Amino acid sequence: MFGSITSKMKRANTTISWISIASIALFTYWSISAQRPSANFLDSDNPDDFSVDSVMFHLKVIAKDIHYIGTPYHKEVQTYLKEELIALGLQAHIQQERIFRLSSEKSKGMVVENVVARIEGSGDGKALLLMAHYDSAAPHSYGASDDGAGVATILEAVRVFLKKEIQPKNDIIVVFSDAEEASMMGARAF
């Protein structure tokens, strides 16, 4: 009698385990697929709409090689970003700052070079800041997700905004910060 009950309990536990695994797999698939952009978003024929292809183009350039501060490709990414902002009609410049971070454990000092541009607003209120960092983590990161995707998305969003030819009420400041992977030194400098 007890053997029969134990056997039924094992089968019930096995069934519950399989149902749980299937449910987790189903909910995982559903949550991932729900985050993808709609087909309408991806397939717009209007060149003034936000383009995922444009974001991916920028991201391929940014993440072509490792580009932590001091590497040759780091300077190329910086130049690319400045030129892209200028091509959009903005006055982009390099904010070069010598910055120090002092602590009891470790002190750092370096020269950082943020890429900065401003879209002038009609009012004198507080500015909106769009910011992402363009350096990658040392020694082997290509920086696609951290934070090339953010930089590429901001470039495309600014392009779309400027196409509308509407002056914002407040200034919009675009900052592609440097040396984020080195204790957020670019953000500190800005």
Side-chain angles (χ1 to χ4, degrees), residues 41 50-52 54-59 62 81 88 130-132 144-145 147-161 174 176:
F41 181 73
F50 188 91
S51 168
V52 173
S54 180
V55 172
M56 290 306 296
F57 178 83
H58 291 308
L59 188 56
I62 294 165
L81 296 175
L88 292 174
L130 303 176
M131 186 174 196
S145 65
D147 191 25
V151 171
T153 301
I154 289 172
L155 277 174
E156 179 61 5
V158 168
R159 182 193 70 81
V160 171
F161 178 78
V174 178
F176 298 131

Side-chain angles (χ1 to χ4, degrees), residues 11-49:
R11 278 192 301 244
N13 285 342
T14 301
T15 302
I16 290 171
S17 295
W18 281 110
I19 290 171
S20 297
I21 290 170
S23 297
I24 290 170
L26 180 65
F27 285 120
T28 300
Y29 172 78
W30 175 73
S31 66
I32 290 171
S33 65
Q35 293 181 13
R36 288 192 301 207
S38 70
N40 294 339
F41 181 73
L42 294 174
D43 297 333
S44 175
D45 291 331
N46 185 347
D48 294 343
D49 285 347

Side-chain angles (χ1 to χ4, degrees), residues 40-175:
N40 294 339
F41 181 73
L42 294 174
D43 297 333
S44 175
D45 291 331
N46 185 347
D48 294 343
D49 285 347
F50 188 91
S51 168
V52 173
D53 290 337
S54 180
V55 172
M56 290 306 296
F57 178 83
H58 291 308
L59 188 56
K60 286 177 184 176
V61 172
I62 294 165
K64 186 171 86 175
D65 200 353
I66 56 172
H67 54 280
Y68 58 88
I69 193 165
T71 60
Y73 198 64
H74 178 263
K75 192 70 168 175
E76 287 184 45
V77 171
Q78 177 193 90
T79 301
Y80 174 78
L81 296 175
K82 181 180 175 189
E83 288 174 356
E84 286 297 308
L85 290 169
I86 290 170
L88 292 174
L90 299 177
Q91 293 183 356
H93 69 279
I94 304 297
Q95 175 208 14
Q96 188 177 67
E97 296 286 332
R98 187 175 310 274
I99 185 123
F100 297 93
R101 181 171 183 235
L102 307 173
S103 72
S104 58
E105 299 142 13
K106 188 176 180 182
S107 297
K108 281 185 179 183
M110 64 179 56
V111 175
V112 297
E113 296 181 333
N114 296 328
V115 181
V116 181
R118 177 184 297 260
I119 301 169
E120 294 290 330
S122 61
D124 59 356
K126 293 182 179 181
L128 171 67
L129 176 66
L130 303 176
M131 186 174 196
H133 69 91
Y134 71 92
D135 62 313
S136 65
H140 51 74
S141 173
Y142 287 76
S145 65
D146 184 18
D147 191 25
V151 171
T153 301
I154 289 172
L155 277 174
E156 179 61 5
V158 168
R159 182 193 70 81
V160 171
F161 178 78
L162 291 173
K163 282 282 190 183
K164 295 183 185 306
E165 297 181 356
I166 300 171
Q167 185 177 23
K169 180 178 178 182
N170 296 340
D171 289 359
I172 300 172
I173 302 171
V174 178
V175 177

